[in-house]
Amino acid sequence: MKNTAKAAFVALGVSAVSLLLTQPASANSFTASTQGGTAQYDDGGDRFCVHAYDSEGARWIKATVKPLNGVGPTLSLSDNNNSTGNDCGSLATAYEDTKYRATITAYWGETGTVTSKTVDFFS
């Protein structure tokens, strides 16, 4: 009887601690880095932004963001290191948890390289 009570008490304590440590879901937010800059999605704010790294040589980054099911807003964003800031777009009108694909292309002038990556995420 004593062991059963101890086990129940320990299980209750572990459950309480895990509830306290649980953080709100933000698994859909991400930052993708490239040689030319970063692309970032903020799920809480429903914003997708691109930012070219500031450097002496030319750098730019472009992203096309499309819903995989064809329903919802599509974004076409670009930034270069000669501009005044990020280029951002909103996915606020997208249905919640719509699967999106971001195709990101970036250029790094010092090396003359263009890189591409694709990131799938949920709005």
Side-chain angles (χ1 to χ4, degrees):
M1 184 81 170
K2 288 182 182 181
N3 288 340
T4 304
K6 286 181 186 178
F9 182 73
V10 168
L12 181 62
V14 168
S15 296
V17 169
S18 65
L19 283 175
L20 289 173
L21 296 177
T22 301
Q23 297 184 5
S26 63
N28 296 323
S29 296
F30 69 89
T31 299
S33 296
T34 69
Q35 292 179 335
T38 59
Q40 182 177 29
Y41 179 63
D42 171 22
D43 189 36
D46 292 320
R47 288 179 56 85
F48 195 99
C49 296
V50 293
H51 172 73
Y53 293 131
D54 191 20
S55 65
E56 291 180 18
R59 291 188 192 221
W60 54 258
I61 184 167
K62 298 176 183 180
T64 302
V65 182
K66 295 181 178 183
L68 292 183
N69 66 1
V71 179
T74 296
L75 305 175
S76 182
L77 307 167
S78 64
D79 186 41
N80 63 57
N81 63 333
N82 297 324
S83 67
T84 58
N86 300 344
D87 187 10
C88 297
S90 176
L91 293 178
T93 59
Y95 290 114
E96 188 65 25
D97 294 329
T98 298
K99 191 169 188 178
Y100 271 81
R101 174 164 293 150
T103 304
I104 304 158
T105 307
Y107 173 71
W108 183 15
E110 288 92 342
T111 62
T113 55
V114 175
T115 56
S116 294
K117 66 171 51 177
T118 302
V119 179
D120 288 349
F121 65 98
F122 292 91
S123 65

